[in-house]
């Protein structure tokens, strides 16, 4: 397990952009797949994007494909989520998480037991 701290959220108008950061502590960040998830009030947590340990494979929810880009900088132990063309429906608390298996990010993320506080993204009309 690694410790993760999300940041970069805030208030932005529809059509604007934000970049979220997830800073990891620990010794094995580069060997983990990373994922971004979000949860809006009254809804279940949902998958947003994931990236393999190498950074060469990425996965996106249909709702954000073409607008969001996930990337990582293993030298800085940080994963990013660049969010463009934001919509009010993107409003949520955004979380990151890590696991050795990419399928845990894309399919079995409900098995993840430990989550941080996330960072709030609010998109106004």
């Amino acid at each position: 397990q690694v410790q993760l701290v999300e940041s970069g959220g805030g208030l932005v108008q529809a059509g604007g952009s934000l970049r979220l950061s997830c800073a990891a502590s620990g010794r094995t960040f580069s060997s983990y797949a990373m994922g971004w998830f979000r949860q809006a009030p009254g809804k279940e947590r949902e998958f947003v994007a994931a990236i393999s340990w190498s950074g060469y494979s990425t996965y996106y929810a249909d709702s954000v494909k073409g607008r969001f880009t996930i990337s990582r900088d293993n030298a800085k132990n940080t994963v990013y989520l660049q969010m463009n063309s934001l919509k009010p429906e993107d409003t949520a608390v955004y979380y990151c998480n890590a696991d050795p298996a990419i399928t845990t990010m894309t399919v079995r993320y409900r098995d993840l037991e430990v989550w941080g506080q996330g960072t709030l993204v609010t998109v106004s009309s």
Side-chain angles (χ1 to χ4, degrees), residues 6 33 39 42 49 55 59-60 67-68 80 88 112 114 120 122 125:
E6 302 93 340
Q39 187 169 24
Y59 306 84
Y60 298 94
R67 300 188 298 120
F68 291 10
Y80 305 96
L112 295 168
V114 180
L120 176 63
T122 303
S125 300

Side-chain angles (χ1 to χ4, degrees), residues 8-20 83-88 90-91 120-125:
L11 176 63
V12 65
Q13 290 186 309
S17 299
L18 283 173
R19 189 174 78 157
L20 307 184
M83 305 185 295
N84 298 327
S85 302
L86 283 163
K87 304 175 181 179
D90 296 318
T91 296
L120 176 63
V121 173
T122 303
V123 184
S124 63
S125 300

Side-chain angles (χ1 to χ4, degrees), residues 66-93:
R67 300 188 298 120
F68 291 10
T69 303
I70 188 171
S71 62
R72 65 191 299 165
D73 185 341
N74 288 346
K76 295 183 177 181
N77 287 352
T78 302
V79 63
Y80 305 96
L81 185 68
Q82 178 66 47
M83 305 185 295
N84 298 327
S85 302
L86 283 163
K87 304 175 181 179
E89 66 185 23
D90 296 318
T91 296
V93 177

Side-chain angles (χ1 to χ4, degrees), residues 4-52:
L4 306 169
V5 179
E6 302 93 340
S7 63
L11 176 63
V12 65
Q13 290 186 309
S17 299
L18 283 173
R19 189 174 78 157
L20 307 184
S21 297
C22 174
S25 63
R27 304 177 301 277
T28 59
F29 173 80
S30 63
S31 66
Y32 279 73
M34 302 292 296
W36 284 99
F37 310 84
R38 66 187 182 186
Q39 187 169 24
K43 296 184 178 180
E44 295 183 347
R45 199 190 316 272
E46 64 176 343
F47 166 77
V48 175
I51 187 167
S52 64

